[in-house]
Structures are given as structure tokens and as C-alpha cells.
Amino acid sequence: MNISNWVMHYEGWEPLSCQAPCTLYSVLYDHGKIPDPFYGLNERELQYLSEKDCAFETVLSADEALLSRDYVELVFHGLDTICHIFLNGKLLAKVQNMHREYCFEVKDRLHPGENVLRLEFKSPRKFFAQKQARHYVYMNDGDTLPGAAHLRKAMYQSGWDWGPTLPDMGIFRSAELNAYDFDRLDHVAVRQYHEDGKVTVALDVTTMHQDGCEIYATLDGKRVRLEDGSGEITVENPKLWWVRGYGEQPLYDLTVELIKDGVLIDTCRKRIGLRTLTVSTAKDPDGKGSEFCFVINGVKIFSMGANLIPMDNLLSRVTRKRWEDLIRQALDANFNTLRVWGGGYYPDDDFFDLCDQYGILVWQDFMVACANIYLTSEMAEEFTQEAACNLKRLHHHPSLGLLAGNNEMEAGVLDWGARNNQLVRDDYTRLYGHILPELCDKYAPDTFYWPSSPSSGGGFDDPSNPAKGDTHYWEVWHGGVPFTAYREHSFRFCSEYGFESFPSMKTIRTFCEEKDMNCFSRVMENHQKCKGGNGKILRYLSDNYLYPSSFENLVYASQLLQAEAIKYGVEHFRRQRGYCMGSTYWQFNDCWPVASWSSVDCFGRYKALHYAAKKFYAPVAMGLFLENGRLTVNVANETRKDFRGTLRLTLCKADMTVVEEKSCTVNVEALTSEDVLVYKVKTTDIYDSYFAAVLWDEEGNEVMRQAELMVPSKHFSWIKPQITASFRDVPGGVEITLQGSAFTKGVYLDFKDFDCVLSDNFFCLTDREPYRVVARTQHSARELEENLLIKTVYDIR
């Protein structure tokens, strides 16, 4: 029985009705007691709310049928965070970990009729301050409330360099009252053994009370009895699960049944994918480094994706629909990997189910980021229970590819606020070198464990060494170096790097009045949590673009700049395929409307970066490299088939006049990257010339087009373009055909009264041929035509 109806009690307001999931801020906002926490400066003014306690109360009806069952359990799937649980006025438990589930046997505490269940949540801010006063713990260089690391609560809620400080409290996942007889299933452990073209699925099932019931499992049409809960099912001619882009994602239904005296009393259903998946850290032949790459079914793959942060600060608003939208956004950008960053919370089952379905590989951090952990015996037990809970829940998912102990703390112990502190080092080693890997070995033995990100393998062995393990590279942006520096480095797997931009004007208008639309206004700076972030955007802008005369054009230019920076890095990483085997940029999404590193803002609006990612993460992608007086064209083929095609490279004037043209056939083997054409730059008119390249496959289908300037955009001799657009209704949307009178960069299509996802945006018009994009929309061609807005780089002045 789902416990959905609650009443929240908070000092200063009358009792407020709500439905789970429900939390302090969401209930007050839904009832109109507080303004939108994300608007203007409201976040700052509403922080004080979490300094007080709150409570949620409900009435449970216990009839004779319920009380006649052998067992009655109260289950909480997510309590945030310090909660004292009372049933009929008596204390049932005190809990303080939002990252785990809780289950309590309550039959003896219920009485016939109405029973009062009360959850008293204690102020997290008071807890942080009290704990930090007793034992200082370093965390996150001042971006987060001091002491937040003392509590197993999502760290980002207490502030980050992209998120608000709104440490919420309440029921953020469902609560249930369940009754049953005899016994129930507890844990279904699944392992796979691949040999001789067959897969043996080994099962180890435990029950809650070991009542001696029979256990059966069904898979691939075979039903077997599990003796003492253990058994195997062999799948002949298995259909293997692959990461998207390398094969299909077939899923098998696994059903486990608990039977008592011939009667089915409990069932567990899981969908599993048959595959081998690990990470290779094989040493280089010269012994100077080691690779870091995912290996699916024996094939080494190049990971392409981004870092995922929580979708909202008010977690009661996270729904399956929002998970579906998020995965669709990842697919639109050709992601094959998502790294779940450790400062949030473990995602819902819906997220992993969708990643299984669509073939997105998941790098899952344990929930620690940029913070030392004071590992008391109580804290060690919390981590143990938290890890066991989530590993049991997630281990069977074929998309789960890696479990990482933390975000940035191996390097942090060496380089940050607690350097040379032996207690910090000892606690670190105990947690990430013993407790977590041992729990992974117990509950998820088929999933690769990595102690930290970045790391070279643990043991404080030069964790930021680019020649082995994974790397977080932040000299671009935080270090202030030009984004051209990406191409001066060779990484094995760049798991964090990024570049900020502003969200779209539509998003800015959701939190900002016209009078505050200046990047240094108080409101805009409150929606920029990176110290000096807006100034950094302007500094980088000065290297590349003219100074925009309007705020709207500044927002547009910042997105172009962000896309160019990350594109510059990814094309280099893919060119080095074999040495470098992964790119997950920071960051995929936002939790509120903000200037940040995201490619999709909190309303699901795609920035220029997300459209660029669709191209630079394409299975077959082309990159142009202007270096040492030569233009080199590289083609990266991240498919399991050889690529055959044709390339045309043209040198053109700003008015699209072709000066020189070269063509060649292209042959790139599967899972490789190759320089396919080198052109010696001869032109002296670099301010009025550009390169345009088009790649076709052997059937004549256009694969990609690219353009490259020889000078920064601010110095190019742009001609004001005359762009025509025609519209045609097509199944699923509207086709837009555009033609330009001169070379045009950064063509941005937007619509006044609504949003559309386009097949391409922020693109270049490099010749006079029609260029077609398709809008995924329910609006008509006429509506799009009436609402069309166009910006180009020419407008940045």
C-alpha cells in the first residue's frame, strides 16, 4: 500500500496537505507560502527555512485483514535526511541517510483502526554547524555549507558552483505499508559467465525469513528450481547487449518466484542484458602509462558523453517523464556514456531502466564529491548500509559499467585543504581502499571498481597523471588558459572538463526582469555560482568575438564560445583514439536556471554545445585541424564497420566564391581515427577566407559538414547575410530550408512563442546550396514561419 497523503507541519504556517513525494520547499511553494525559490534573489532569502525543523504526518488504517497477516512492514525509499520516525506516538527509529532505504517491521506497533505515523525532520543546517564545530572537515573551497560532509545527504543541495543553497528535507521517494504471510524475497543476486558462445546466469536468492519456501527462476523460456536459493540457467545462442552504436540492446526477462505449499507468495522481475563489460587498465609497452577504456563484449570502445547532475533541487518534482526527457536529450547528442557525479544522489530505477533500453553506459560515482569524510564508526556503518542497498538495487543493470569511490578526493587529499593530514589519509584509504571495494566485490562483483575520479588506480599514486587512468582537466576555464590548450595534451580518458555559457534568453526571463539583464547585475550574479564566472566568459569572449552591444547577443555569443571550446577538445580526443578512449564533458544538465557548464538547461532547452555534441560525438565524425601552416582533415570512425566515403575540401571567400577545391576518397577502418587529407595553406588573405569540408558515405549521403576560419571570428571580414527560409510540414515536425547570400556562422533558429528541438542548429552556411533542418514539433509550418527568429555571428557587434 502506497502511503501518499500527508500533512506537513512547519512553524509559522497552518498544517499543509501534500502528496508524497513531498519536501519542505516544494510543499511551501505549492501552497503559495513562498515565492519561486529559483526566481531573482529568492534563493538567498529562503535559505533560512532549513534552519528550522519540520514534520510530516499521516494516518494509516489497519483493518483486520491487514493485522491478520504474519508480517507488516513500513518501507521508506527515500527520507531526506535527519528523521525521527514515530508510530502512534512512540519512537520507531532515528535515521540520517537519504541515500538508502529503510524497512521496519511494525505489526506489533499497529492497532485496529487509525494509526498516526509522524516523521520529524531535523534541520540539516544546524546539524552541519554542530558537527563542523566539533570536527573540521574540508569541503569544496567554500561553495558548499561548511559541515555538509558530516551527513549522508546530497551535497549539491547545500550549494555548489552551479547550484543554489537550498538544503531541503522531507519524503523525496515513496513510502509503503506492506503486509504478507510466511516469507518474502529479499535480494536476487545475478552473475554472468560467458564461455563457448553460451551464457550461464548464476542466481543467489535470499528471503527475509528463510521460511523454507521453494524458489524458482525463469529465464529465456527455462524454469529451474533454486536449491537453497542458488542455481544456474544457461542461455544458448545468447543475444548480446551492446553499448549504443556498437550493436543492439536485447533484454531478457528474469522472473524469480517464491512458493509456499504450491502457492505463489512473492515475485521479483528484472530485465537483464547479457554482456561482458569491464575497464581495461593494461600497461603500455613502454611501461610509462596505462590505458583506461571500457570493454564491451571484448571490444574496446570510445566513451562519448557528459557528467550528469541532479535535475532539480526540489526532488519531489523528479518524475519518470523527466527521466525519459533526459535520456532523449542524451540520445539527441549521440551520447553513449553518462557519468553520474558523486555530489548528488543515486538515480531512480527509471534512469537505469532507460539506459538499459537505449544502450547508454553508466559510470556511477558513490555519493562523495570534493569533500573529506570523517570516518567514525557510525559513518562507516552508514556507508556500508548505503552501498549495500544501492549495489543490490543496481548491480544487475547491463548499463552499469563502473563504480567510482568518489569525485576528486584522491587528488584532493594530496592537493587541497587537508594535505599532509594523516587522519584524513587513513580515513580515505579505509573507505575507498577497503570498505567500498569489498562491498562492490560482495554485491556487484561483475562491475569494475575505480577508487576515485580522477585516479591512476589508487594509493595516492599521482592521481592526475594524464598518461594513466582518467583525468579532470580544468586549466581551460578555471586556469584561464585558451581552449586551444586542449590540443597540447594527451589524456587516456578525460572524464571532466568544461566551459561555461549563459542559458537562453527564454530561460533567463524566467528568473530575471529586463532591468537586471546585465551579466554583472545582482540577479545575474546570483544565477552564476562559479566565482568570477561571468568575468571569465567575457575574458574568453574577448579572445574570439567582437564585444556584443546587447545583452541578448552576449548570451548568444557565450553559447557559441562554449560549443567551440568543447568541440576543440573532443575532436582532438577522438583524433587520438587508441591512446585517448573517452570524453565526458562537464556538464550535461542543470538543476535550476543558471549560467553554467551545461549543454542543456533546466527547462530542457538545448544550448549551442548540445547541437555541437551531436556532430562531434557522431559515430563517424570529421574534425578540421589548422596547425603549422596546414589544414588536416581527420575522420574518426567509432563503428564496428569500415567507413568508405568521399571528402571535398574547398577554400572560399566570405562571399562564398570558391578559390580552390580538393576531393579524395576516404577509407577508415572500424574503431579507428585517421587523418585523411592534408592541405598546405597558401592563401595570404586569411581575413576573408575560410575552409569548408563535406563528408559523404559511399551511398552519397552527407555525413557531416565543417567550416574552419584562419583567424578569430572577431577579425573575419563578415558580410551581412541575406537568409531565406521556407517551411514544409513533414511527419513528426516541420522541414525548414535555408539559403544564404554569404558565408554565415552560428546560424541560430529560435521561435518567439515556443521551443523546438531541431535536427541542427547554430550551424554554418558554407555555400549557396539549400540547407535543410527538421524541427521536432507539433506546431505547423505556418506557426514556425510566423515565430522564426534568426541570429548569426554577424550580429555579434
Side-chain angles (χ1 to χ4, degrees), residues 707-720:
E708 185 78 9
L709 300 179
M710 288 171 274
V711 295
S713 291
K714 66 181 180 179
H715 292 156
F716 189 75
S717 300
W718 299 104
I719 299 172
K720 185 174 183 178

Side-chain angles (χ1 to χ4, degrees), residues 244-405:
R244 68 185 306 264
Y246 302 93
E248 300 301 317
Q249 294 79 44
L251 296 172
Y252 288 77
D253 292 318
L254 169 66
T255 303
V256 177
E257 299 170 314
L258 187 64
I259 294 177
K260 176 73 171 180
D261 299 329
V263 177
L264 177 66
I265 60 171
D266 197 12
T267 303
C268 174
R269 294 183 175 86
K270 297 180 182 290
R271 302 194 79 195
I272 65 172
L274 305 180
R275 89 292 186 263
T276 61
L277 178 56
T278 189
V279 174
S280 173
T281 56
K283 290 185 177 180
D284 295 338
D286 62 8
K288 295 181 179 179
S290 55
E291 69 179 356
F292 189 91
C293 69
F294 287 96
V295 185
I296 177 79
N297 299 322
V299 176
K300 294 180 179 180
I301 66 172
F302 191 103
S303 292
M304 302 183 289
N307 286 262
L308 175 69
I309 67 168
M311 285 187 282
D312 207 322
N313 268 72
L314 278 61
L315 293 180
S316 60
R317 302 195 294 205
V318 175
T319 62
R320 180 177 175 86
K321 173 64 165 56
R322 291 185 70 178
W323 285 117
E324 290 172 345
D325 290 344
L326 180 135
I327 295 301
R328 171 51 58 191
Q329 292 157 6
L331 299 178
D332 281 348
N334 283 314
F335 290 3
N336 65 23
T337 302
L338 283 171
R339 174 181 177 237
V340 181
W341 168 77
Y345 65 102
Y346 301 93
D348 300 342
D349 293 335
D350 289 335
F351 167 75
F352 285 93
D353 290 343
L354 290 162
C355 289
D356 293 346
Q357 179 180 346
Y358 291 106
I360 294 180
L361 186 153
V362 178
W363 169 320
Q364 175 68 60
D365 282 2
F366 285 97
M367 289 300 122
V368 179
C370 306
N372 292 321
I373 298 297
Y374 179 39
L375 200 63
T376 63
S377 58
E378 181 184 27
M379 183 63 86
E381 179 62 17
E382 287 294 349
F383 269 98
T384 297
Q385 295 301 323
E386 168 189 323
C389 174
N390 286 285
L391 293 172
K392 287 180 179 181
R393 178 171 69 95
L394 303 177
H395 79 283
H396 70 282
H397 286 280
S399 57
L400 181 64
L402 181 148
L403 294 159

Side-chain angles (χ1 to χ4, degrees), residues 372 412-422 424-425:
N372 292 321
V413 168
L414 296 178
D415 301 331
W416 297 350
R419 62 173 66 93
N420 299 322
N421 184 309
Q422 191 60 46
V424 169
R425 291 174 71 104

Side-chain angles (χ1 to χ4, degrees), residues 161-163 477 499-504 507-508 511 519 523-530 533-534 537 558 562 587 590 592-598 601 607:
D161 58 4
W162 38 258
W477 186 258
F499 200 96
E500 276 201 348
S501 72
F502 295 109
S504 74
T507 295
I508 289 173
F511 67 82
C519 67
V523 169
M524 287 301 299
E525 287 196 334
N526 190 57
H527 287 256
Q528 163 60 277
K529 296 300 185 179
C530 175
N534 291 350
I537 291 175
S558 77
Q562 179 193 35
Q587 66 205 63
D590 281 324
W592 78 314
V594 65
S596 80
W597 298 269
S598 72
D601 74 23
K607 297 182 181 179

Side-chain angles (χ1 to χ4, degrees), residues 43 83-84 139 154 174 178 205 216 221 266 298 301 528 535 543 590 679:
E43 170 230 348
C83 183
H84 296 182
M139 184 172 185
S174 63
N178 299 323
V205 178
Y216 288 86
D266 197 12
I301 66 172
Q528 163 60 277
D543 292 339
D590 281 324
Y679 173 84

Side-chain angles (χ1 to χ4, degrees), residues 10 13 24-25 33-34 42-52 123 125 165-167 169:
Y10 185 83
W13 282 293
L24 170 66
Y25 284 105
K33 302 300 182 182
I34 60 173
N42 289 346
E43 170 230 348
R44 293 181 177 274
E45 298 165 3
L46 296 175
Q47 289 182 28
Y48 73 90
L49 293 173
S50 61
E51 294 179 353
K52 295 181 181 180
S123 164
R125 295 188 67 137
T165 302
L166 293 168
M169 45 186 153

